Amino acid sequence: MAQPRVRKAVFPVGGMGTRFLPATKAVPKELLPVVDKPLLQYAVDEALAAGCEQMIFVTARGKGALEDYFDIAGEMVATLTARGKAAELAVLDGTQLPAGDIAYVRQQEPLGLGHAVWCARHLVGREPFAVLLPDELLWEPANPCLKQMADAHARVGGNVIAVMEVPAEHTHRYGIIVPGQADGALTEMTGMVEKPKAGTAPSRLAAVGRYILQPEVMDVLSQHKRGAGGEIQLTDAMAELIGIQPFHAWTFGGRRFDCGDKAGHITANIALALERPDIAPDVRAYLATL
Ligand code: G1P
C-alpha cells in the first residue's frame, strides 16, 4: 500500500546549549558551524533531501538568531551584488527556503524532548512527520540518513527510527531499542527504553536523532507523563505505541558526529574539513605535525 509522504520536519531547537558556554550566551548551539555551515543547516538540508517541504522549529527564549538566520539577508545581498560576488551570493541562496515554508513555535519551559515535539502538534496536524535533532550530524551526503528512512517508510509505513550501534558502556546516554526480526538495515522494534541503567540495556542499538513518526504519538505526549530525568520523553511515548503501530529501526551506515559534545563537534570539523578540497591540504598538513 502506498504510504503518505513525509512532508513536515520538526526540529527541536529550544535547548540552552550549556555545554558550549560561553559561546552559547549569544549564539544558539544550532548555529555553531561545522567548517562554515551551521549545524542546523545540515539538518535542514537533510530534511529537504528526504522530500520534506515544511520546516517546523520548536524554539525558545533567547534563540531569536535562529529565526534571523533563515531570513533574506537584504543588506548583505545588496552589498555582494554590487561587488559582483557571485559565489558568496550562491551560498546565501542555498540557505533560502520559499516564503511560508518555515514555522516557529516556542517551547515555554524545558520539559524534555517529548514536550518539545508535542509543542509542534497543531503545525504537524494528522499526518506522518519527521523529527531531526540538529546536534546529531549524520553524514552520508550521497544518500542522507532521513532520505534512507523515508525510502524505507515508503515501503513499510508506520514509524521508522534511525539507530546505530554504540559501545555497551554508552547505552545509558541514549534511547535504546529492543530489536525483533531484522531484514538488512531494517529491524522490527518490540520495545524501546530511554537511558537504561548500566548493564540493563536491551541492545546496543541507540536512537541517533532521526525519527519518522505517526501523528498518534502526539496524543500519547498530550498525557505529559514524566520519564527518565523527570522529563517528558519522546522515547516513552513511542514505546507506548509499539505493538499498536508498526515500528522499525533503520541502522544508519554512514558517519555520525555527536555535535552536542565538544569533542564530537571538533571531530566533525576536522572530518568535514578534510573533505573540502579548498582547505583539506592545510588542515592535513597541520595534523601531520602533531
Ligand atoms: C535524546 C533522546 C535519546 C536519543 C538522543 C540522541 O537524548 O532522548 O533517546 O538517543 O537524543 O542524541 P538527549 O541527548 O537529548 O539526552
Side-chain angles (χ1 to χ4, degrees), residues 19 29 113-114 133 135-136 162 171 173-176 192-195 206-211 231 233-235 238 256 258:
R19 278 194 271 180
K29 65 174 173 172
L113 175 61
L133 310 187
D135 280 2
E136 294 275 6
T171 48
R173 300 180 189 168
Y174 299 98
I176 302 291
M192 191 170 181
V193 39
E194 181 68 12
K195 303 196 171 72
V208 290
R210 300 292 184 274
Y211 310 81
E231 296 190 340
Q233 296 288 356
L234 182 60
T235 296
M238 294 190 297
R256 162 180 180 248
D258 176 6

Short mmCIF file of all heavy atoms in Angstrom, two decimals, residues 19 29 113-114 133 135-136 162 171 173-176 192-195 206-211 231 233-235 238 256 258, ligand 1:
data_model
loop_
_atom_site.label_atom_id
_atom_site.label_comp_id
_atom_site.label_asym_id
_atom_site.label_seq_id
_atom_site.Cartn_x
_atom_site.Cartn_y
_atom_site.Cartn_z
N ARG A 19 26.59 23.15 27.38
CA ARG A 19 27.90 22.51 27.18
C ARG A 19 28.81 23.37 26.30
O ARG A 19 30.01 23.12 26.23
CB ARG A 19 27.72 21.13 26.56
CG ARG A 19 27.38 20.10 27.63
CD ARG A 19 27.54 18.71 27.11
NE ARG A 19 26.29 18.25 26.50
CZ ARG A 19 26.15 17.05 25.95
NH1 ARG A 19 27.16 16.22 25.90
NH2 ARG A 19 25.00 16.70 25.43
N LYS A 29 23.27 27.07 20.03
CA LYS A 29 24.22 25.99 19.68
C LYS A 29 23.97 25.46 18.29
O LYS A 29 24.89 25.01 17.61
CB LYS A 29 24.20 24.86 20.72
CG LYS A 29 22.89 24.11 20.78
CD LYS A 29 22.96 22.91 21.71
CE LYS A 29 21.57 22.32 21.85
NZ LYS A 29 21.48 21.07 22.56
N LEU A 113 12.40 16.41 25.51
CA LEU A 113 12.28 16.27 24.05
C LEU A 113 10.84 15.95 23.63
O LEU A 113 10.33 16.50 22.64
CB LEU A 113 13.25 15.17 23.57
CG LEU A 113 13.18 14.82 22.09
CD1 LEU A 113 13.51 16.02 21.21
CD2 LEU A 113 14.13 13.66 21.77
N GLY A 114 10.18 15.09 24.39
CA GLY A 114 8.79 14.73 24.06
C GLY A 114 7.90 15.96 24.11
O GLY A 114 7.05 16.17 23.24
N LEU A 133 17.16 15.92 15.27
CA LEU A 133 17.89 16.61 16.32
C LEU A 133 19.18 17.13 15.72
O LEU A 133 20.06 16.34 15.36
CB LEU A 133 18.20 15.64 17.48
CG LEU A 133 17.02 14.82 18.03
CD1 LEU A 133 17.44 14.05 19.29
CD2 LEU A 133 15.82 15.71 18.34
N ASP A 135 21.81 18.49 16.78
CA ASP A 135 23.09 18.16 17.45
C ASP A 135 23.77 16.96 16.82
O ASP A 135 24.97 16.78 16.91
CB ASP A 135 22.82 17.70 18.89
CG ASP A 135 22.60 18.84 19.83
OD1 ASP A 135 22.60 19.97 19.36
OD2 ASP A 135 22.41 18.55 21.03
N GLU A 136 22.93 16.08 16.31
CA GLU A 136 23.44 14.84 15.72
C GLU A 136 23.70 15.11 14.25
O GLU A 136 22.77 15.29 13.46
CB GLU A 136 22.40 13.72 15.85
CG GLU A 136 22.12 13.30 17.28
CD GLU A 136 23.13 12.26 17.79
OE1 GLU A 136 24.11 11.96 17.06
OE2 GLU A 136 22.92 11.76 18.90
N ALA A 162 15.98 6.06 13.34
CA ALA A 162 17.37 5.78 12.98
C ALA A 162 18.13 5.30 14.22
O ALA A 162 18.01 5.89 15.29
CB ALA A 162 18.05 7.04 12.44
N THR A 171 25.41 2.96 26.49
CA THR A 171 23.97 2.81 26.24
C THR A 171 23.13 3.68 27.18
O THR A 171 22.03 4.09 26.81
CB THR A 171 23.52 1.33 26.38
OG1 THR A 171 24.06 0.81 27.60
CG2 THR A 171 24.00 0.49 25.21
N ARG A 173 23.30 6.63 27.77
CA ARG A 173 23.13 8.01 27.28
C ARG A 173 22.00 8.16 26.27
O ARG A 173 21.68 9.26 25.84
CB ARG A 173 24.40 8.46 26.54
CG ARG A 173 25.64 8.46 27.36
CD ARG A 173 26.78 8.93 26.46
NE ARG A 173 28.06 8.76 27.11
CZ ARG A 173 29.24 8.86 26.50
NH1 ARG A 173 29.26 9.13 25.19
NH2 ARG A 173 30.35 8.71 27.16
N TYR A 174 21.44 7.02 25.83
CA TYR A 174 20.56 7.06 24.65
C TYR A 174 19.21 6.38 24.88
O TYR A 174 19.02 5.68 25.86
CB TYR A 174 21.23 6.31 23.49
CG TYR A 174 22.54 6.89 23.06
CD1 TYR A 174 23.74 6.35 23.52
CD2 TYR A 174 22.59 7.98 22.19
CE1 TYR A 174 24.96 6.89 23.12
CE2 TYR A 174 23.80 8.52 21.79
CZ TYR A 174 24.98 7.97 22.26
OH TYR A 174 26.17 8.50 21.86
N GLY A 175 18.32 6.57 23.91
CA GLY A 175 17.15 5.72 23.78
C GLY A 175 17.62 4.45 23.11
O GLY A 175 18.26 4.50 22.05
N ILE A 176 17.35 3.30 23.72
CA ILE A 176 17.85 2.01 23.21
C ILE A 176 16.66 1.15 22.81
O ILE A 176 15.67 1.07 23.54
CB ILE A 176 18.69 1.27 24.29
CG1 ILE A 176 19.87 2.14 24.76
CG2 ILE A 176 19.17 -0.08 23.78
CD1 ILE A 176 20.97 2.36 23.73
N MET A 192 11.33 -0.06 23.49
CA MET A 192 12.35 0.99 23.50
C MET A 192 12.43 1.55 24.91
O MET A 192 11.41 1.70 25.59
CB MET A 192 11.96 2.09 22.52
CG MET A 192 13.08 3.07 22.26
SD MET A 192 12.68 4.15 20.89
CE MET A 192 14.18 5.12 20.84
N VAL A 193 13.64 1.84 25.35
CA VAL A 193 13.80 2.36 26.71
C VAL A 193 14.77 3.54 26.70
O VAL A 193 15.80 3.51 26.03
CB VAL A 193 14.18 1.24 27.71
CG1 VAL A 193 15.15 0.26 27.11
CG2 VAL A 193 14.72 1.78 29.02
N GLU A 194 14.40 4.59 27.41
CA GLU A 194 15.21 5.80 27.43
C GLU A 194 16.28 5.69 28.52
O GLU A 194 15.98 5.43 29.68
CB GLU A 194 14.34 7.04 27.67
CG GLU A 194 15.07 8.37 27.71
CD GLU A 194 15.67 8.80 26.36
OE1 GLU A 194 15.34 8.20 25.32
OE2 GLU A 194 16.49 9.74 26.37
N LYS A 195 17.51 5.89 28.11
CA LYS A 195 18.66 5.92 29.03
C LYS A 195 18.62 4.80 30.07
O LYS A 195 18.51 5.04 31.28
CB LYS A 195 18.75 7.31 29.69
CG LYS A 195 18.86 8.42 28.65
CD LYS A 195 19.32 9.73 29.18
CE LYS A 195 19.63 10.72 28.08
NZ LYS A 195 18.49 11.29 27.35
N ALA A 206 21.20 2.31 19.47
CA ALA A 206 20.78 3.58 20.07
C ALA A 206 20.12 4.48 19.04
O ALA A 206 20.55 4.55 17.89
CB ALA A 206 22.00 4.28 20.64
N ALA A 207 19.08 5.20 19.49
CA ALA A 207 18.44 6.21 18.63
C ALA A 207 19.42 7.36 18.45
O ALA A 207 20.02 7.83 19.41
CB ALA A 207 17.16 6.70 19.28
N VAL A 208 19.59 7.80 17.20
CA VAL A 208 20.58 8.84 16.92
C VAL A 208 19.95 10.10 16.33
O VAL A 208 20.55 10.79 15.52
CB VAL A 208 21.72 8.31 16.01
CG1 VAL A 208 22.60 7.32 16.77
CG2 VAL A 208 21.17 7.67 14.74
N GLY A 209 18.73 10.40 16.77
CA GLY A 209 18.20 11.73 16.49
C GLY A 209 17.48 11.93 15.17
O GLY A 209 17.31 13.06 14.71
N ARG A 210 17.02 10.86 14.54
CA ARG A 210 16.18 10.98 13.35
C ARG A 210 15.00 10.03 13.51
O ARG A 210 15.19 8.84 13.79
CB ARG A 210 16.94 10.59 12.06
CG ARG A 210 18.18 11.41 11.77
CD ARG A 210 17.85 12.84 11.40
NE ARG A 210 19.06 13.56 11.03
CZ ARG A 210 19.88 14.17 11.90
NH1 ARG A 210 19.63 14.13 13.20
NH2 ARG A 210 20.96 14.82 11.48
N TYR A 211 13.80 10.59 13.31
CA TYR A 211 12.59 9.81 13.52
C TYR A 211 11.59 10.12 12.41
O TYR A 211 11.47 11.28 12.01
CB TYR A 211 11.93 10.20 14.84
CG TYR A 211 12.84 10.22 16.06
CD1 TYR A 211 13.66 11.32 16.31
CD2 TYR A 211 12.86 9.16 16.97
CE1 TYR A 211 14.49 11.36 17.44
CE2 TYR A 211 13.68 9.19 18.09
CZ TYR A 211 14.49 10.30 18.32
OH TYR A 211 15.31 10.34 19.42
N GLU A 231 11.79 14.15 32.81
CA GLU A 231 11.37 14.86 31.60
C GLU A 231 10.29 14.08 30.83
O GLU A 231 10.16 12.86 30.98
CB GLU A 231 12.58 15.07 30.69
CG GLU A 231 13.63 15.96 31.33
CD GLU A 231 14.71 16.38 30.35
OE1 GLU A 231 14.87 15.70 29.31
OE2 GLU A 231 15.38 17.39 30.63
N GLN A 233 9.49 12.32 27.81
CA GLN A 233 10.41 11.70 26.86
C GLN A 233 9.69 11.24 25.60
O GLN A 233 8.65 10.58 25.69
CB GLN A 233 11.11 10.49 27.51
CG GLN A 233 11.99 10.84 28.70
CD GLN A 233 13.27 11.57 28.30
OE1 GLN A 233 13.56 11.77 27.11
NE2 GLN A 233 14.04 11.98 29.30
N LEU A 234 10.28 11.56 24.46
CA LEU A 234 9.76 11.06 23.19
C LEU A 234 9.82 9.53 23.17
O LEU A 234 8.90 8.86 22.69
CB LEU A 234 10.58 11.66 22.03
CG LEU A 234 10.13 11.29 20.63
CD1 LEU A 234 8.70 11.72 20.36
CD2 LEU A 234 11.05 11.91 19.58
N THR A 235 10.91 8.99 23.68
CA THR A 235 11.08 7.53 23.70
C THR A 235 9.91 6.85 24.41
O THR A 235 9.38 5.85 23.92
CB THR A 235 12.40 7.17 24.42
OG1 THR A 235 13.48 7.71 23.66
CG2 THR A 235 12.58 5.67 24.57
N MET A 238 6.82 6.82 22.24
CA MET A 238 6.94 5.83 21.16
C MET A 238 6.74 4.43 21.72
O MET A 238 6.04 3.61 21.13
CB MET A 238 8.31 5.96 20.49
CG MET A 238 8.50 7.27 19.76
SD MET A 238 9.99 7.31 18.73
CE MET A 238 11.27 7.13 19.92
N ARG A 256 28.61 9.38 12.05
CA ARG A 256 27.83 10.16 13.00
C ARG A 256 28.78 10.98 13.87
O ARG A 256 29.77 10.47 14.37
CB ARG A 256 27.02 9.22 13.88
CG ARG A 256 26.53 9.85 15.14
CD ARG A 256 25.73 8.90 16.01
NE ARG A 256 25.31 9.64 17.17
CZ ARG A 256 25.76 9.40 18.40
NH1 ARG A 256 26.61 8.43 18.64
NH2 ARG A 256 25.34 10.16 19.39
N ASP A 258 28.51 13.43 17.22
CA ASP A 258 27.66 13.98 18.28
C ASP A 258 28.14 15.40 18.56
O ASP A 258 29.03 15.63 19.38
CB ASP A 258 27.76 13.11 19.53
CG ASP A 258 26.97 13.72 20.68
OD1 ASP A 258 26.27 14.74 20.46
OD2 ASP A 258 27.05 13.18 21.79
C1 G1P B 1 17.80 12.39 23.05
C2 G1P B 1 16.80 11.24 23.09
C3 G1P B 1 17.52 9.89 23.07
C4 G1P B 1 18.42 9.81 21.86
C5 G1P B 1 19.39 11.01 21.85
C6 G1P B 1 20.20 11.04 20.57
O1 G1P B 1 18.54 12.38 24.24
O2 G1P B 1 16.01 11.37 24.26
O3 G1P B 1 16.58 8.84 23.04
O4 G1P B 1 19.13 8.59 21.88
O5 G1P B 1 18.68 12.25 21.94
O6 G1P B 1 21.13 12.07 20.60
P1 G1P B 1 19.41 13.64 24.74
O7 G1P B 1 20.74 13.52 24.05
O8 G1P B 1 18.67 14.87 24.35
O9 G1P B 1 19.53 13.48 26.22
#
